[in-house]
Amino acid sequence: MQTYKNKMQQANQTITQQGATWAAINPESVARMQLQNRFNTGLDIAKYTAKIMREDMASYDKDSANYTQSLGCWHGFIGQQKMISIKKHFGTTRSRYLYLSGWMVAAMRSEFGPLPDQSMHEKTSVPALIEELYTFLKQADARELQHLFKEVDDAREAGDQLREQAAQQKIDNFETHVVPIIADIDAGFGNEEATYLLAKKMIEAGACCIQIENQVSDAKQCGHQDGKVTVPHEDFLAKINAVRYAFLELGVDDGVIVARTDSLGAGLTQKIPVSQAAGDLADQYNAFIDGEEVTSLEQMKSGDMAIKQGDRLIKPTRLANGLVRFKANTGEDRVVLDCITSLQNGADLLWIETEKPHIGQIASIVNRIRDVMPNAKLVYNNSPSFNWTLNFRQQVFDAWQAEGKDVAEYRRDQLMSQDYDNTPLSAEADERIRAFQRDAAAQAGIFHHLITLPTYHTAALSTDNLAKDYFGDQGMLGYVKEVQRKEIRQGLACVKHQDMSGSNIGDDHKEYFSGAQALKASGKDNTMNQFAI
């Protein structure tokens, strides 16, 4: 481990070798700047975080209690504040990641303005957000270390060697805010070459983990919307290969690929793959296609096609736009085949997009996958598209009804009502929600829990509350009482927003570069001195 003193000694050696011309350069200042910039490139970050993620996966395999979590962040500042808060409250960032949501990139980061989650946004906006997130996380490192350097300086000025040593020990044991990002590449934004090119940009920006879905790229839909169209396995596996090649080309040998299947909610395919032999992947895919059995050529019209399905010849059911329909109630079987096939062909983790957060449903699918691939692990979307309150109240209602409990006082279709908030049913539902991640990790193979869009919703909610109060009769008290006072009392570092934006780091640099003549911003007249945080 490179210690503070080691860094200073190395810097001193380099400076001394240059002679008098570098006499103005302070080795301790160099060491500080180096420590504040641990990661020189996005590839440094990708290699560092891939190792962390692999260790976490191995830890989960030993004990399902070691699951990991993340929140989706749409801006670097949001990701930064999340990780600062995690370090403040829990003392470590371990097992906590960031999630980059394609939905939020489309809705909030496109130059076209707000867009639906249909891969219409600029593909370059995805690696740009990865780079932005890590820029802010690195700045969080620099800021916290700057405070520790100040502790060293204050201890020296006071002649307190023990305090100085303690501060140096904190520096030597400093834990970075840089954590893995699971980054959404949608359906690859084109063919396998397009997927490879974008994956490279994402990895170069710092992504150690890329999530890719099996929808048709130019017909991609949000996983919680209708109209989803999947691709044959061969097409999807080519894109998994493309991502793996991108990782290996850039030297991230342990990069992580999350294969997402939307088959549970997708009833259509864009094309019928060509089978080379009975029972191959194309044949298994085609076995799910819906159609009318053909016993006579008279059943065929101009433009119709027929395929052999087992011992039968069928005319596939096609929509007016040419898309082909799958048989009803085959979604779960298709999901299982998708997942097994992806793991057998280079994917590391699975993502199954479900229509509700039901542990029993997820576990029933995962158990079938694990019959073939025992170490199968999921990344699961704890989606805001689910009405969690209603879903879990209905799950409790159904369970109680099945157990013969009296549910006469509850109306199943009205359980979202506030009238039920203080009832035993709602209390049990809330407890199930609270324990959902822990229980799903233990029972349904979920290694990583994420919420895709939480900070989209928190931004909207907090802005609504502030606007209501500030522009209403609360006036300035609406801000002071509900924002600033809470920031101070909860110890939020960003209450000193000048420090958070890098003002004190800049002052240090001015002093390094200009010495005593540096014009610094952090003097006695800086109003940030009003805050004791």
Side-chain angles (χ1 to χ4, degrees), residues 453-468:
L453 320 176
T455 53
Y456 175 92
H457 292 282
T458 54
L461 180 61
S462 62
T463 302
D464 180 75
N465 288 331
L466 177 60
K468 177 188 65 177

Side-chain angles (χ1 to χ4, degrees), residues 379-394:
V379 172
Y380 188 71
N381 178 9
N382 292 220
S383 177
S385 293
F386 302 141
N387 185 331
W388 286 77
T389 301
L390 182 60
N391 263 290
F392 276 82
R393 287 181 181 182
Q394 289 181 339

Side-chain angles (χ1 to χ4, degrees), residues 252-304:
V252 187
D253 296 345
D254 49 1
V256 179
I257 298 174
V258 179
R260 167 176 154 175
T261 173
D262 281 283
S263 289
L264 199 61
L268 301 168
T269 184
Q270 190 179 51
K271 65 181 182 181
I272 298 173
V274 176
S275 173
Q276 303 296 329
D280 64 11
L281 270 179
D283 192 39
Q284 293 179 67
Y285 188 82
N286 291 340
F288 294 117
I289 289 174
D290 187 34
E292 173 190 352
E293 185 171 5
V294 176
T295 56
S296 168
L297 286 177
E298 293 179 358
Q299 294 174 249
M300 306 294 286
K301 297 181 295 186
S302 177
D304 280 349

Side-chain angles (χ1 to χ4, degrees), residues 205-227:
C208 73
C209 178
I210 293 178
Q211 164 216 328
I212 186 165
E213 62 200 59
N214 69 335
Q215 290 192 50
V216 175
S217 184
D218 60 358
K220 180 256 187 315
Q221 296 276 17
C222 172
H224 292 277
Q225 292 180 325
D226 204 356

Side-chain angles (χ1 to χ4, degrees), residues 118-124 126 184-199 202 211-220 229-232 234-240 242-243 270-271:
Q118 295 171 1
S119 289
M120 294 190 290
H121 55 280
E122 309 87 345
K123 63 175 70 177
T124 52
V126 182
D184 185 0
I185 200 172
D186 280 15
F189 285 86
N191 62 16
E192 58 268 43
E193 174 68 4
T195 301
Y196 154 77
L197 292 171
L198 179 55
M202 293 168 69
Q211 164 216 328
I212 186 165
E213 62 200 59
N214 69 335
Q215 290 192 50
V216 175
S217 184
D218 60 358
K220 180 256 187 315
V229 185
T230 61
V231 297
E234 293 87 344
D235 293 14
F236 188 53
L237 297 181
K239 292 187 176 182
I240 289 177
V243 175
Q270 190 179 51
K271 65 181 182 181

Side-chain angles (χ1 to χ4, degrees), residues 55-112:
E55 289 172 352
D56 287 346
M57 290 161 66
S59 179
Y60 173 81
D61 284 340
K62 293 177 182 176
D63 184 350
S64 65
N66 299 326
Y67 62 90
T68 56
Q69 300 166 291
S70 66
L71 296 174
C73 299
W74 53 271
H75 191 278
F77 177 73
I78 301 297
Q80 177 198 67
Q81 292 305 301
K82 175 189 139 182
M83 298 317 301
I84 288 174
S85 293
I86 286 171
K87 280 193 74 174
K88 180 183 77 171
H89 290 296
F90 305 105
T92 179
T93 61
R94 196 73 201 202
S95 301
R96 279 92 176 193
Y97 306 165
L98 294 182
Y99 179 67
L100 186 151
S101 160
W103 191 101
M104 284 209 285
V105 173
M108 306 184 80
R109 300 304 301 258
S110 172
E111 292 183 13
F112 290 104

